[in-house]
Amino acid sequence: GQQVMQIPQYQHVQEGEDFTTYCNSSTTLSNIQWYKQRPGGHPVFLIQLVKSGEVKKQKRLTFQFGEAKKNSSLHITATQTTDVGTYFCAGRVTGGGNKLTFGTGTQLKVEL
Amino acid sequence: DGGITQSPKYLFRKEGQNVTLSCEQNLNHDAMYWYRQDPGQGLRLIYYSQIVNDFQKGDIAEGYSVSREKKESFPLTVTSAQKNPTAFYLCASRRESNYGYTFGSGTRLTVV
């Protein structure tokens, strides 16, 4: 079945450092979504990318969708303690109906 | 305010018992989903429903059952056939196919 892998699994950074998580799918995706889950909380939708090579920004967060629509990345510039949490990508397989397959997640810890 | 309500927040079950987790939404969303999250892992799809009186199995449906008699409600029953039910259960809904999911705050189920 379809698999969506994320790397790294964990990342510790000092406040102010940058952070990137990468998402790779074994199959082509019709779109990709990103979610953030704070410790003890539930996933919250951040953004959706649809077009090949698409880049979107939300303040310090930059999201990219690969040209082949099989990979994506989330980059955070100058991390803050409020960025702590687990970041998940979730992809919809082309022709696969309305199911989202979630990635394995990257847990980010930010130290002062 | 619109949203998804899951109850209870914590649930303890004895081995051999069935339990039902509640999920109610007042967002007027057509599609609803149940995911399971194990510690340090991603979300795995149990069941989903795109319309009232219809639902489909996800990737890990064995030992679970659902119903969708009303648009607002999508309860999940964890049966005694589920071998390892201790987990965090998340319910989600979605307005249309190209929108992000809205998650409930989850139910933590522990088998004692």
Side-chain angles (χ1 to χ4, degrees):
Chain A
Q2 182 204 5
Q3 291 194 2
V4 179
M5 303 300 293
Q6 279 183 256
I7 55 171
Q9 188 175 4
Y10 302 98
Q11 185 80 61
H12 289 204
V13 299
Q14 296 288 324
E15 190 177 40
E17 292 181 339
D18 292 356
F19 159 77
T20 304
T21 174
Y22 300 91
C23 177
N24 294 286
S25 170
S26 56
T27 55
T28 302
L29 303 170
S30 58
N31 60 42
I32 193 141
Q33 298 179 355
W34 285 90
Y35 292 79
K36 176 183 178 181
Q37 185 176 21
R38 293 183 185 274
H42 57 275
V44 174
F45 174 69
L46 295 176
I47 207 162
Q48 176 173 272
L49 304 171
V50 178
K51 299 177 183 176
S52 170
E54 188 171 12
V55 178
K56 287 187 176 181
K57 292 189 176 184
Q58 288 181 350
K59 297 183 181 179
R60 294 178 295 104
L61 277 62
T62 302
F63 303 85
Q64 290 188 318
F65 200 8
E67 294 290 341
K69 301 184 77 172
K70 295 178 72 173
N71 56 71
S72 181
S73 65
L74 159 59
H75 179 82
I76 302 178
T77 303
T79 55
Q80 300 175 359
T81 55
T82 53
D83 296 325
V84 166
T86 300
Y87 292 85
F88 292 99
C89 64
R92 198 182 307 281
V93 175
T94 303
N98 287 314
K99 292 191 302 178
L100 266 186
T101 298
F102 278 77
T104 47
T106 295
Q107 184 178 341
L108 173 64
K109 292 190 176 181
V110 180
E111 299 171 356
L112 293 171
Chain B
D1 289 339
I4 297 182
T5 301
Q6 288 188 244
S7 62
K9 189 169 185 176
Y10 299 96
L11 185 58
F12 296 88
R13 186 195 94 174
K14 292 182 179 179
E15 285 192 24
Q17 286 183 337
N18 293 354
V19 288
T20 298
L21 282 58
S22 171
C23 178
E24 303 278 335
Q25 55 103 354
N26 60 4
L27 299 166
N28 200 34
H29 288 177
D30 287 316
M32 297 187 73
Y33 305 81
W34 274 106
Y35 284 89
R36 168 182 172 142
Q37 186 175 33
D38 293 285
Q41 297 189 30
L43 283 67
R44 292 183 290 169
L45 182 63
I46 305 173
Y47 268 98
Y48 65 106
S49 167
Q50 299 187 73
I51 197 168
V52 175
N53 292 321
D54 188 41
F55 49 82
Q56 287 80 40
K57 292 182 179 180
D59 301 317
I60 56 166
E62 185 175 351
Y64 300 97
S65 65
V66 293
S67 62
R68 187 83 186 278
E69 298 177 1
K70 299 186 299 181
K71 187 175 186 178
E72 302 79 19
S73 178
F74 191 40
L76 173 73
T77 297
V78 184
T79 75
S80 56
Q82 169 51 234
K83 300 302 180 187
N84 188 20
T86 295
F88 186 43
Y89 290 88
L90 287 158
C91 179
S93 70
R94 172 182 53 79
R95 190 174 86 185
E96 293 173 10
S97 61
N98 280 330
Y99 282 78
Y101 287 15
T102 300
F103 282 87
S105 56
T107 293
R108 295 191 183 276
L109 172 64
T110 303
V111 173
V112 296

